[in-house]
């Protein structure tokens, strides 16, 4: 390495905004900038964004971090992009945007998903693309535009994902990479290439799709025009980058067999690295290509993890919110202290966290939240503890499916807002029977994108080696054996409740 300081740039294109972070080669954030943009909902259940907003945000935040840091643009060795997955960007022959992007949380494509399942076959679809036809994924959106906006589809010459549009504006190249493309339902996930069978059966012209790369591969370099707009040096390498969860895995060091993370955000995600491809034939969890070349990831998504706790706080914890404001602390800090007053098992009270229906591992939109075992002895503290336990049981149920697929973790990282609670982390360690750690750096996806850029630019030898050098974890919270066996009894009852209530949930939904 030269004596002059070298830098790497990570762009994280999210749903609410784009954050760009400049890192030194030791993984320290030197400068960061965020620009937010709107989401449009033309109809109930629809969600769209303007790709030009993403590009303007990326351009402005790159310029901002270069100015704020005073870094020499020539010292920026490479750039990587992490992005929200599944969004559909359609360009004409001149590379102009044809319509707003239909993004990941849009729900308009159920009819198209049914059509995809029918044309390819439910089992065959999971065999090739590793996932059942889901409304969030890109393939259904392509079919929807073809059916409902044929004049736009006629003009379409290029189909890109959100981050790949920003790449196009930076480099002039139509390129994508395997981790993000895994969420389009057009990828042969085992073989890491577009599926000819799926494209033929859905009658999608393969020439519309971008060239496929591995995440740390160089996909192009910054053009003179983009250099003038961003302040970057012309010729700066731009690597494949990754979808948001795959980039977060790199940014937390979950890039080797045996490593996994649990995110307790609004939703809950258990995400594990695997050196071999394993697909759940029932489609209860998602298998995607990893940002590490030749590897895969398996992830679950429960819909109401942190959301369950937020619902409880907003519905029952007005006093705690007021006291916390007076003390200058987070209400969740006080709620942790209160939950600790209730014993393991919350005095025989169990909570099912299905406030918004459920995705992993149940795939049941009719499932609903339940307090089971409620009696006159129970206090608000018991209910609070039961909520926290129920959320961890739902993550454990997903982890058990991963274990059943042979994806076994020896340690767990805790991420997201819930991961910052030592009490909840201990509960996770005890229920999982695994040591639980946290990462010192909180820049997950942007750091992951920057690490991939460093590998592509030759700053690091490989993704795992870069992570070992750059990512620092805090000491682990080991599981307490006695607690594990106590939780196990309640977890068995928790698992028996959904099958017993399944029919009742659907009857309730039909009323």
């Amino acid at each position: 390495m030269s004596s002059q300081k070298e830098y790497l740039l990570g762009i994280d294109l999210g749903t609410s905004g784009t954050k760009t972070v400049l890192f030194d080669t030791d993984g320290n954030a030197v400068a960061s900038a965020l620009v937010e943009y709107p989401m449009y909902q033309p109809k109930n259940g629809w969600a769209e964004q303007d790709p030009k907003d993403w590009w303007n945000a990326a351009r402005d935040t790159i310029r901002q971090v270069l100015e704020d840091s005073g870094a020499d643009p020539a010292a920026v060795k490479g750039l990587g992009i992490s992005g929200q997955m599944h969004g559909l960007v359609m360009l004409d022959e001149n590379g102009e945007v044809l319509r707003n992007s239909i993004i990941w949380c849009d729900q308009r494509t159920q009819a198209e998903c049914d059509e995809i399942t029918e044309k390819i076959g439910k089992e065959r679809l999971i065999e090739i693309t590793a996932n059942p036809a889901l409304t969030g994924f890109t393939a259904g959106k392509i079919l929807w535009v073809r059916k409902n906006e044929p004049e736009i589809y006629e003009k379409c010459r290029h189909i890109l994902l959100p981050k790949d549009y920003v790449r196009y504006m930076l480099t002039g190249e139509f390129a994508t990479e395997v981790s993000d493309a895994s969420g389009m339902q057009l990828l042969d996930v085992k073989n890491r290439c577009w599926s000819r069978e799926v494209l033929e059966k859905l009658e999608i012209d393969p020439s519309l799709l971008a060239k496929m790369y591995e995440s740390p591969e160089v996909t192009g370099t910054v053009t003179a025009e983009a250099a003038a707009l961003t302040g970057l040096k012309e010729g700066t390498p731009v690597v494949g980058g990754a979808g948001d969860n795959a980039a977060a895995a790199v940014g937390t060091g979950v890039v080797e067999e045996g490593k996994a993370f649990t995110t307790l955000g609004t939703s809950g995600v258990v995400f594990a690295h695997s050196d071999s491809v394993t697909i759940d034939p029932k489609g209860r969890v998602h298998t995607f290509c990893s940002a590490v070349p030749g590897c895969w990831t398996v992830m679950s998504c429960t819909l109401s993890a942190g959301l369950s706790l937020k619902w409880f706080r907003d519905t029952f914890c007005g006093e705690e919110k007021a006291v916390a404001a007076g003390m200058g602390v987070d209400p969740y800090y006080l709620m942790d202290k209160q939950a600790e007053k209730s014993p393991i098992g919350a005095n025989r009270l169990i909570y099912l966290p299905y406030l918004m229906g459920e995705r992993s591992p149940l795939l049941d939109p009719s499932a609903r939240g339940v307090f089971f075992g409620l009696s006159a002895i129970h206090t608000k503290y018991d209910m609070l503890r039961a909520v926290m336990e129920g959320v961890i049981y739902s993550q454990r149920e997903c982890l058990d499916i991963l274990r059943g697929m042979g994806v076994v973790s020896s340690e767990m990282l805790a991420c997201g807002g819930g991961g910052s609670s030592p009490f909840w982390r201990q509960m996770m360690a005890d229920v999982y029977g695994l040591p639980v750690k946290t990462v010192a750096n909180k820049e997950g996806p942007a750091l992951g994108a920057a690490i991939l850029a460093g590998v592509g630019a030759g700053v690091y030898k490989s993704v795992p080696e870069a992570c070992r050098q750059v990512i620092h974890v805090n000491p682990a919270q080991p599981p307490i054996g006695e607690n594990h066996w106590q939780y196990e009894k309640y977890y068995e009852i928790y698992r028996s409740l959904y099958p017993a209530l399944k029919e009742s949930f659907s009857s309730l939904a039909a009323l």
Side-chain angles (χ1 to χ4, degrees):
M1 246 186 224
S2 65
S3 56
Q4 184 205 12
K5 209 160 175 57
E6 293 182 336
Y7 300 97
L8 297 163
L9 203 57
I11 300 173
D12 181 21
L13 190 166
T15 311
S16 56
T18 286
K19 183 181 191 181
T20 296
V21 187
L22 186 70
F23 296 93
D24 64 22
T25 51
D26 292 324
N28 302 306
V30 179
S32 76
L34 171 74
V35 168
E36 296 186 343
Y37 32 70
M39 180 169 83
Y40 303 104
Q41 295 183 276
K43 289 188 185 176
N44 190 21
W46 291 22
E48 300 186 351
Q49 288 186 317
D50 182 350
K52 294 198 186 77
D53 286 345
W54 300 331
W55 163 240
N56 293 339
R59 178 197 67 199
D60 295 352
T61 51
I62 293 169
R63 208 170 47 219
Q64 182 84 49
V65 296
L66 288 173
E67 282 173 14
D68 290 354
S69 64
D72 175 1
V76 178
K77 293 295 151 193
L79 177 162
I81 316 171
S82 148
Q84 50 164 298
M85 295 175 70
H86 318 300
L88 171 65
V89 182
M90 306 182 95
L91 308 181
D92 67 12
E93 59 188 343
N94 302 315
E96 294 297 325
V97 175
L98 284 166
R99 70 175 321 286
N100 275 350
S101 171
I102 305 175
I103 65 168
W104 63 277
C105 51
D106 187 283
Q107 295 296 326
R108 77 184 76 176
T109 62
Q110 191 54 58
E112 288 72 25
C113 288
D114 296 343
E115 185 187 330
I116 291 169
T117 306
E118 195 182 315
K119 283 185 170 167
I120 294 159
K122 190 178 177 183
E123 280 78 23
R124 184 67 183 139
L125 184 66
I126 292 177
E127 231 171 79
I128 301 169
T129 71
N131 296 286
L134 294 169
T135 49
F137 284 15
T138 321
K141 296 166 185 170
I142 296 171
L143 270 54
W144 186 91
V145 173
R146 183 166 72 194
K147 192 190 298 175
N148 294 280
E149 299 173 351
E151 66 296 340
I152 285 179
Y153 194 81
E154 276 302 299
K155 290 182 195 155
C156 180
R157 294 294 173 272
H158 301 280
I159 288 172
L160 295 174
L161 290 159
K163 77 171 187 343
D164 299 330
Y165 176 69
V166 171
R167 175 200 325 284
Y168 166 66
M169 296 300 286
L170 283 167
T171 65
E173 301 289 341
F174 298 107
T176 190
E177 51 67 49
V178 292
S179 74
D180 210 356
S182 297
M184 291 181 77
Q185 205 114 54
L186 301 172
L187 193 77
D188 176 339
V189 168
K190 270 194 187 104
N191 297 306
R192 308 171 89 88
C193 60
W194 297 121
S195 165
R196 192 174 302 163
E197 181 180 335
V198 172
L199 294 173
E200 276 173 13
K201 287 182 175 170
L202 300 183
E203 297 171 52
I204 295 170
D205 181 350
S207 73
L208 294 173
L209 300 175
K211 187 177 173 189
M212 184 77 61
Y213 290 86
E214 289 289 339
S215 303
E217 281 188 283
V218 175
T219 57
T221 57
V222 173
T223 62
E225 187 185 354
L229 292 168
T230 58
L232 286 165
K233 185 172 186 281
E234 183 185 351
T236 303
V238 177
V239 299
D244 47 13
N245 274 305
V250 176
T252 51
V254 177
V255 295
E256 295 175 272
E257 194 79 56
K259 295 200 170 184
F261 66 76
T262 299
T263 301
L264 296 176
T266 301
S267 61
V269 170
V270 179
F271 185 109
H273 177 91
S274 179
D275 287 347
S276 55
V277 62
T278 45
I279 294 170
D280 176 32
K282 296 182 186 164
R284 295 166 298 179
V285 293
H286 307 302
T287 298
F288 293 129
C289 296
S290 165
V292 182
C295 299
W296 286 264
T297 57
V298 188
M299 64 173 280
S300 62
C301 181
T302 59
L303 300 179
S304 306
L307 180 67
S308 287
L309 197 61
K310 181 181 187 298
W311 164 79
F312 193 88
R313 182 197 72 182
D314 294 348
T315 311
F316 302 110
C317 298
E319 287 171 46
E320 286 77 3
K321 285 164 87 168
V323 171
M327 289 169 65
V329 297
D330 190 322
Y332 290 123
Y333 169 78
L334 294 185
M335 288 163 67
D336 276 3
K337 296 283 170 238
Q338 292 175 336
E340 281 178 43
K341 293 178 182 173
S342 177
I344 288 175
N347 287 312
R348 298 194 181 90
L349 181 63
I350 295 172
Y351 169 76
L352 304 185
Y354 312 140
L355 298 184
M356 309 288 288
E358 193 50 290
R359 189 158 122 188
S360 300
L362 309 175
L363 285 173
D364 185 353
S366 302
R368 288 295 174 265
V370 172
F371 279 106
F372 175 78
L374 203 55
S375 77
I377 67 156
H378 287 121
T379 65
K380 183 167 82 173
Y381 302 159
D382 294 320
M383 294 175 78
L384 172 56
R385 177 158 194 141
V387 167
M388 297 178 84
E389 290 182 351
V391 168
I392 298 296
Y393 294 149
S394 75
Q395 307 312 308
R396 162 73 187 275
E397 201 166 9
C398 296
L399 181 64
D400 284 350
I401 287 171
L402 267 55
R403 286 168 169 166
M405 293 164 67
V407 181
V408 180
S409 43
S410 50
E411 60 179 52
M412 186 63 65
L413 284 163
C415 311
S420 60
S421 155
F423 175 66
W424 224 357
R425 288 200 304 271
Q426 188 61 53
M427 190 184 287
M428 187 190 293
D430 294 344
V431 172
Y432 286 6
L434 288 175
V436 172
K437 303 176 176 179
T438 55
V439 176
N441 189 310
K442 295 289 180 263
E443 298 291 1
L447 177 58
I451 287 171
L452 293 169
V455 176
V459 174
Y460 315 115
K461 281 203 182 75
S462 70
V463 179
E465 197 166 303
C467 290
R468 285 195 289 268
Q469 183 180 326
V470 162
I471 289 162
H472 309 289
V473 292
N474 298 317
Q477 283 176 246
I480 298 165
E482 171 57 29
N483 292 359
H484 176 71
W485 295 114
Q486 279 186 268
Y487 279 120
E488 210 64 9
K489 295 175 223 164
Y490 291 98
Y491 175 60
E492 284 312 308
I493 298 169
Y494 169 90
R495 287 189 56 213
S496 71
L497 293 175
Y498 171 75
L501 293 169
K502 185 179 177 178
E503 294 308 315
S504 305
F505 282 141
S506 70
S507 305
L508 185 65
L511 291 181

